């Protein structure tokens, strides 16, 4: 067999590589760009089997492609790597291969035109590698974030606690916490939502959670006067002092945690514009008395006999917006059989396939059917998942 590359004429002017192989896989023709890209002399190509130009692991794939073309008689897309003989290494090419037919319509071989996509593939691999590295870092971040959330809730006689946490991303700004305060005589619990999403919110979630827990157990005595709500008719000094003394055991952790955290975030991280809505409650397990600060958070729901009897509305702005903010203390009484539900906006904002949110109205309908904490959240999550259906978490 003899062949010369000069017989290709216009094909040599193409930037893309052109080749022909017979049914045995022997290369019978190629143009100059094919030689340039593979850095092989013409004599090293013609008359050789294509397996000598590709990595051994790809020979099977190319044979399958040629066999498919032979069987179907159709042109197909190919992607393969070929060896650069002079400088070493590999090039990646993408293109189409089709059958060569004689006048009788019989397939005599194959011809293909290829485009060098080495740099594109390299960029894609670099992007994939970066994505995998980022996913690994996010997974580490998620593990770290999860470690900030209590895995074992306190066992308090006469009370049942339960929690469900499911972030929309690998890491998130929502968090919860439950811990003893006032030398173990009170139970503190927090549900909060740091503004924004992703890694930044998760970082500040860790900061907020740590500060709240730490400051709640600081022994510093803060001025509680501004935290006691006025009933609108005025409060005498003696009445104020009596109420202050009554509330101080549970109120002090509230004021310290929220006020000090607010001061710290606003003073040292104000330029980031990161803040959090926070509900922090302090419960006296002995009598069901609850003191709380709701810093701009979704109002928790107090349910008695399957009826909503109170919403624990905000008593102050979000934490971290500005220094020297005032946070008032609210109070509520939990009787035997009552349920208190705390949640973040991810619940009411959850969307179905029509873009409709779960809404506060549907939440109210769902929670009035709740029986007890052991089954309450499972039932609520079931309704929420049914609403979302196959949609991604909003």
């Amino acid at each position: 067999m003899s062949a010369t590359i000069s017989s290709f004429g216009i094909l040599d002017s193409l930037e893309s590589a052109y080749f022909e192989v017979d049914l045995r896989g022997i290369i019978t023709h190629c143009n100059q760009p094919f030689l340039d890209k593979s850095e092989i002399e013409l004599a090293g190509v013609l008359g050789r089997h294509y397996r000598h130009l590709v990595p051994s692991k790809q020979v099977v794939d190319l044979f399958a492609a040629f066999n498919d073309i032979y069987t179907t008689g159709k042109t197909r897309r190919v992607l393969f790597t070929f060896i650069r003989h002079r400088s070493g290494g590999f090039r990646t090419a993408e293109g189409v291969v089709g059958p060569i037919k004689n006048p009788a319509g019989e397939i005599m071989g194959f011809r293909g035109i290829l485009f060098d996509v080495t740099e594109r593939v390299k960029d894609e691999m670099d992007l994939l590698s970066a994505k995998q590295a980022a996913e690994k870092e996010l997974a580490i971040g998620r593990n770290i974030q999860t470690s900030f959330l209590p895995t074992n809730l306190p066992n308090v006689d006469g009370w049942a606690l339960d929690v469900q946490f499911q972030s929309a991303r690998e890491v998130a700004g929502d968090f919860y916490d439950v811990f003893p305060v006032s030398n173990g005589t009170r139970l503190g619990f927090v549900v909060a939502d740091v503004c924004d999403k992703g890694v930044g919110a998760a970082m500040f979630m860790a900061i907020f959670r740590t500060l709240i827990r730490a400051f709640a157990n600081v022994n510093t005595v803060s001025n509680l006067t501004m935290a006691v709500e006025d009933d609108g008719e005025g409060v005498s000094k003696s009445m104020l002092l009596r109420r202050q003394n009554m509330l101080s055991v549970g109120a002090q952790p509230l004021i310290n945690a929220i006020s000090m955290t607010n001061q710290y975030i606003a003073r040292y991280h104000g330029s980031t514009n990161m803040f959090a809505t926070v509900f922090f409650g302090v419960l006296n397990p002995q009598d069901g008395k609850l003191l709380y600060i709701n810093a701009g958070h979704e109002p928790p729901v107090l349910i008695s006999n399957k009826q909503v009897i109170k919403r624990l509305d905000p008593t102050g702005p979000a934490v971290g917006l500005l220094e020297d903010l005032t946070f008032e203390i609210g109070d509520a009484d939990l009787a035997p059989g009552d349920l208190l539900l705390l949640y973040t906006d991810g619940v009411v904002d959850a969307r179905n396939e029509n873009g409709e949110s779960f809404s506060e109205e549907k939440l109210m309908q769902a929670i009035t059917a709740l029986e007890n904490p052991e089954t309450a959240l499972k039932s609520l999550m079931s309704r929420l998942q049914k609403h979302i259906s196959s949609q991604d978490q909003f």
Side-chain angles (χ1 to χ4, degrees):
M1 179 187 301
S2 63
T4 60
I5 197 166
S6 59
S7 64
F8 277 80
I10 195 172
L11 293 178
D12 286 336
S13 64
L14 298 177
E15 292 185 3
S16 51
Y18 175 87
F19 71 93
E20 294 180 7
V21 299
D22 63 19
L23 293 180
R24 298 171 298 167
I26 303 299
I27 300 173
T28 57
H29 296 291
C30 65
N31 67 353
Q32 190 60 47
F34 185 95
L35 299 175
D36 293 340
K37 292 296 183 181
S38 59
E39 296 183 351
I40 306 175
E41 299 295 338
L42 179 60
V45 174
L46 297 185
R48 302 195 69 187
H49 197 279
Y50 66 80
R51 68 173 178 268
H52 298 295
L53 300 181
V54 300
S56 57
K57 62 182 180 181
Q58 203 168 26
V59 173
V60 175
D61 293 335
L62 287 178
F63 177 82
F66 286 130
N67 188 61
D68 180 67
I69 296 168
Y70 182 82
T71 302
T72 63
K74 296 180 179 180
T75 298
R76 61 167 287 172
R77 193 178 189 88
V78 295
L79 175 69
F80 71 89
T81 302
F82 59 88
I83 301 171
R84 297 181 69 178
H85 281 234
R86 249 183 231 150
S87 58
F90 302 90
R91 303 294 294 181
T92 303
E94 181 180 58
V96 292
V97 176
I100 300 175
K101 299 180 181 180
N102 63 19
E106 299 172 331
I107 297 178
M108 307 300 295
F110 309 93
R111 60 163 58 94
I113 186 166
L114 302 173
F115 304 90
D116 191 334
V117 293
T118 303
E119 297 306 317
R120 190 197 76 189
V121 171
K122 181 180 180 300
D123 291 342
E124 290 174 352
M125 293 300 295
D126 289 345
L127 183 61
L128 178 62
S129 178
K131 181 175 180 292
Q132 291 173 338
E135 289 175 346
K136 182 178 179 180
E137 292 298 318
L138 283 175
I140 294 173
R142 182 174 179 81
N143 290 336
I144 293 174
Q145 182 182 30
T146 302
S147 71
F148 278 91
L149 304 176
T151 54
N152 297 313
L153 300 178
N155 185 14
V156 183
D157 289 340
W159 297 86
L161 308 174
D162 196 11
V163 63
Q164 291 285 332
F165 180 84
Q166 183 173 320
S167 63
R169 300 184 181 180
E170 285 292 332
V171 290
D174 292 4
F175 69 95
Y176 66 91
D177 202 3
V178 186
F179 54 93
V181 295
S182 301
N183 296 319
T185 63
R186 301 291 188 272
L187 181 69
F189 53 93
V190 179
V191 172
D193 182 4
V194 178
C195 71
D196 205 1
K197 304 294 180 185
V199 176
M203 292 177 64
F204 272 89
M205 164 260 159
I207 296 173
F208 274 99
R209 180 266 186 193
T210 302
L211 291 177
I212 289 172
R213 180 179 275 239
F215 289 145
N217 286 291
V218 167
N219 292 323
T220 301
V221 178
S222 301
N223 183 1
L224 300 181
T225 303
M226 295 299 294
V228 179
E229 295 177 313
D230 192 328
D231 60 10
E233 299 180 358
V235 181
S236 68
K237 184 175 182 180
S238 60
M239 291 173 60
L240 184 62
L241 289 174
R242 283 199 301 273
R243 188 175 182 190
Q244 179 173 316
N245 289 333
M246 180 181 68
L247 299 180
S248 59
V249 173
Q252 197 67 65
L254 286 172
I255 293 299
N256 286 349
I258 300 302
S259 293
M260 291 181 178
T261 299
N262 179 77
Q263 288 294 99
Y264 185 94
I265 296 294
R267 180 172 297 173
Y268 297 106
H269 300 287
S271 61
T272 64
N273 296 315
M274 298 295 286
F275 59 88
T277 63
V278 180
F279 182 91
F280 185 14
V282 174
L283 175 70
N284 183 349
Q286 301 303 316
D287 57 13
K289 295 289 184 182
L290 174 68
L291 303 179
Y292 65 87
I293 290 178
N294 185 340
H297 196 72
E298 300 286 337
V301 187
L302 182 56
I303 308 149
S304 183
N305 295 320
K306 297 186 179 182
Q307 297 292 322
V308 177
I309 61 173
K310 188 173 184 179
R311 299 296 301 274
L312 308 188
D313 293 323
T315 60
V319 176
L321 289 172
L322 297 168
E323 293 187 53
D324 302 319
L325 294 177
T326 298
F327 301 93
E328 296 181 344
I329 291 178
D331 62 275
D333 294 298
L334 276 66
D338 288 354
L339 289 173
L340 181 63
L341 175 70
L342 298 88
Y343 60 97
T344 63
D345 58 7
V347 174
V348 292
D349 288 343
R351 305 293 176 87
N352 63 16
E353 62 272 13
N354 297 320
E356 300 167 334
S357 64
F358 187 66
S359 77
E360 192 168 288
E361 179 182 358
K362 288 186 176 68
L363 177 62
M364 293 301 108
Q365 293 173 356
I367 61 179
T368 53
L370 302 180
E371 296 290 346
N372 56 68
E374 283 78 7
T375 61
L377 289 189
K378 291 180 181 178
S379 175
L380 182 56
M381 288 297 292
S382 177
R383 290 198 181 204
L384 191 59
Q385 290 296 340
K386 184 177 180 180
H387 173 80
I388 297 172
S389 186
S390 60
Q391 293 297 107
D392 291 334
Q393 188 172 336
F394 181 72

